[in-house]
Amino acid sequence: MDSREQVEPHVVWTVVDSGIGPLLLAASREGLVNVVFHATDAVRDRAVERLAARLGTEPVEAPGSPLLAEAIRQFEAYFAGGRRDFELPLDWSLISGFNRAVLRELASGVPYGQVVGYGDLAGRVGQPGAAQAVGMAMGANPLPVVVPCHRVVESDGGIGGFGGGLETKRRLLALEGVLPEPLF
């Protein structure tokens, strides 16, 4: 183990303000591993406990960590309207199988300002007819915003569900120009 590994914990986290409320960002040495909406104290504490259980290591609050610095910068730029794409290393260890395939396709194949239907996304990963399974994958997304599950909508034009709440989804889609900004 080199001295850098002794100083930098395996998983670090911080809470940042955003255009949609406080977000918990967690990163490992491999990359950003988790983004959690509405990171109030209680939500934050539960998220950190879940990360510890799933990753087998105690996440450390470290807002100044080099592992988080670029993610924080890119989130700030995104919410300020100055960034359309995230260019961050991602740690996919919290997701596997079909869900991982769907989320990777979403991350690489649905650009800023565009949306895709649940069924269309299922077809893109070779599973036509698996729209409900795609919905489950969206709900299991450990990296929302960066892996843009807010861009997945119903084929009939409905907004669909969203783990961060429908108002958060509307605000993200408005930020990207898909929906008009709310009047109030």
Side-chain angles (χ1 to χ4, degrees):
M1 180 183 287
D2 70 24
S3 61
R4 188 180 63 229
E5 289 177 316
Q6 292 173 5
V7 174
E8 190 70 50
H10 181 69
V11 178
V12 294
W13 64 271
T14 192
V15 174
V16 297
D17 289 324
S18 76
I20 55 171
L23 296 173
L24 179 138
L25 305 180
S28 71
R29 291 184 192 118
E30 288 76 39
L32 191 67
V33 70
N34 202 200
V35 176
V36 179
F37 292 115
H38 315 298
T40 60
D41 291 348
V43 169
R44 177 204 65 212
D45 292 346
R46 280 192 308 275
V48 170
E49 287 173 14
R50 276 193 314 272
L51 278 171
R54 295 203 54 205
L55 297 174
T57 186
E58 190 64 37
V60 174
E61 183 175 14
S65 169
L67 296 176
L68 290 167
E70 184 60 18
I72 293 167
R73 190 185 71 70
Q74 289 189 29
F75 269 85
E76 288 171 349
Y78 173 81
F79 284 107
R83 173 172 281 281
R84 293 174 157 242
D85 299 306
F86 289 90
E87 297 171 4
L88 296 168
L90 301 178
D91 178 341
W92 293 92
S93 63
L94 294 178
I95 199 103
S96 62
F98 176 80
N99 289 358
R100 184 185 288 192
V102 168
L103 293 172
R104 283 184 178 268
E105 173 59 31
L106 175 62
S108 65
V110 183
Y112 182 97
Q114 294 185 19
V115 294
V116 65
Y118 293 94
D120 293 334
L121 192 53
R124 288 185 186 192
V125 296
Q127 298 291 323
Q132 282 188 311
V134 167
M136 297 298 288
M138 296 305 103
N141 181 3
L143 296 162
V145 184
V146 176
V147 178
C149 51
H150 60 278
R151 297 180 190 155
V152 183
V153 297
E154 295 174 348
S155 60
D156 66 2
I159 195 168
F162 194 62
L166 293 181
E167 182 57 30
T168 299
K169 186 171 187 172
R170 284 186 190 97
R171 291 175 73 187
L172 287 166
L173 291 172
L175 174 71
E176 295 188 8
V178 175
L179 293 176
E181 288 286 344
L183 295 175
F184 42 90

